[in-house]
């Protein structure tokens, strides 16, 4: 019974981690295929700025983070909750950004001259990214709930309510700021900012309210790192539009 219990403890995170890693590799493959199509009609500076996905400037750090988190779940018995939290936060942003990109490709196409046949390639690949990221997000959330429940024993109330308030504030304020940056507070810009940035970050911060110890710190650091990566890369995308 002891051996079976130990196997039951190790096996679910490893299996979920393998699924997350496969989803990350699938999304990476889809993005790699989209890049030459998306930047075919742009110069070298625009290529640097777009990184192939103008809607999600930090797409590569996010993809790598999800992949590494999945591999950590497969190879390491400890810190499974931390890796699951990182995978959830990053995959949520990829899924939301993919949904926003599915519409924004038409705006990008108008800006850089992407043809209808090229869009016919980009949109299905974007759907692959959305599905893969959503599956990874669900797998990670299942593990987060499992580890958090083991640590707390209940989900009926948050440990730190202030993180729920902080997450809600980020969801609102970043939507307004990002929407102004993207589309001048038009509805499409607000929705794009909400899906790509504010809602994933807000959910990550709110999730920290139900976590404790390393898992809470992982949620906060994942959101902070994602925001920093976006801030670091976003100016290149904006400059490439003006170049």
């Amino acid at each position: 019974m002891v051996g079976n219990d130990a196997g039951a403890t190790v096996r679910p995170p490893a299996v979920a981690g393998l699924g997350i890693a496969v989803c990350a590799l699938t999304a990476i493959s889809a993005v790699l295929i989209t890049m030459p199509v998306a930047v075919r009609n742009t110069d070298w500076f625009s290529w640097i700025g777009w990184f192939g996905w103008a809607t999600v400037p930090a797409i590569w750090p996010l993809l790598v983070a999800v992949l590494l988190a999945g591999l950590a779940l497969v190879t390491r018995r400890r810190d499974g909750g931390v890796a699951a939290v990182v995978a959830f936060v990053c995959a949520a942003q990829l899924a939301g950004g993919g949904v926003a990109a599915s519409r924004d490709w038409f705006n990008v196409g108008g800006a850089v001259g992407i043809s209808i046949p090229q869009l016919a390639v980009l949109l299905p690949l974007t759907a692959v990214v959305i599905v893969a990221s959503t599956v990874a997000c669900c797998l990670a959330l299942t593990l987060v709930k499992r580890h958090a429940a083991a640590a707390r024993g209940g989900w009926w109330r948050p440990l730190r309510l202030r993180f729920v308030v902080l997450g809600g504030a980020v969801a609102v304020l970043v939507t307004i700021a990002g929407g102004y940056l993207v589309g001048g507070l038009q509805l499409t810009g607000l929705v794009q900012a909400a899906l790509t940035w504010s809602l994933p970050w807000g959910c990550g911060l709110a999730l920290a309210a139900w976590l404790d110890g390393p898992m809470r710190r992982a949620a906060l650091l994942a959101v902070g790192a994602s925001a920093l990566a976006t801030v670091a890369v976003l100016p290149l995308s904006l400059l490439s539009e003006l170049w």
Side-chain angles (χ1 to χ4, degrees):
M1 287 295 292
V2 175
N4 291 338
D5 291 342
T9 302
V10 174
R11 202 170 292 119
V15 172
L18 181 60
I20 291 171
V22 170
C23 288
L25 288 172
T26 302
I28 288 172
S29 300
V31 173
L32 284 173
I33 298 172
T34 66
M35 287 181 64
V37 177
V39 301
R40 184 174 300 169
N41 301 324
T42 63
D43 57 27
W44 69 271
F45 187 83
S46 293
W47 188 88
I48 295 174
W50 290 108
F51 277 12
W53 274 60
T55 311
V56 191
I59 191 167
W60 284 110
L62 293 170
L63 287 169
V64 171
V66 175
L67 176 60
L68 293 179
L71 294 176
L73 286 165
V74 174
T75 59
R76 300 186 61 180
R77 297 187 180 186
R78 302 180 60 185
D79 301 327
V82 170
V85 169
V86 172
F88 170 77
V89 172
C90 296
Q93 190 174 356
L94 287 169
V99 173
S102 64
R103 181 196 179 280
D104 197 43
W105 278 127
F106 294 94
N107 296 328
V108 174
V112 301
I114 297 176
S115 66
I116 296 300
Q118 289 173 322
L119 288 173
V121 175
L122 293 172
L123 292 177
L125 291 170
T126 302
V128 171
V129 174
I130 295 171
V131 172
S133 301
T134 301
V135 172
C137 187
C138 293
L139 290 172
L141 184 59
T142 300
L143 290 181
V144 170
K145 292 176 63 176
R146 182 174 179 271
H147 282 272
R152 294 191 60 249
W155 281 88
W156 54 90
R157 61 180 181 179
L159 288 173
R160 300 289 188 275
L161 184 60
R162 63 178 178 270
F163 289 114
V164 177
V165 177
L166 178 61
V170 167
V172 174
L173 295 178
V174 175
T175 296
I176 295 174
Y180 180 79
L181 184 65
V182 171
L185 294 183
Q186 296 180 359
L187 179 60
T188 54
L190 292 172
V191 172
Q192 180 177 328
L195 290 172
T196 308
W197 301 318
S198 60
L199 288 181
W201 292 343
C203 287
L205 293 173
L207 179 64
W210 280 270
L211 306 175
D212 52 9
M215 292 180 66
R216 180 191 301 153
R217 290 192 293 272
L220 299 178
L221 288 174
V223 172
S226 174
L228 287 175
T230 298
V231 170
V233 179
L234 186 59
L236 289 175
S237 293
L238 295 177
L239 285 174
S240 70
E241 294 183 45
L242 301 175
W243 188 261

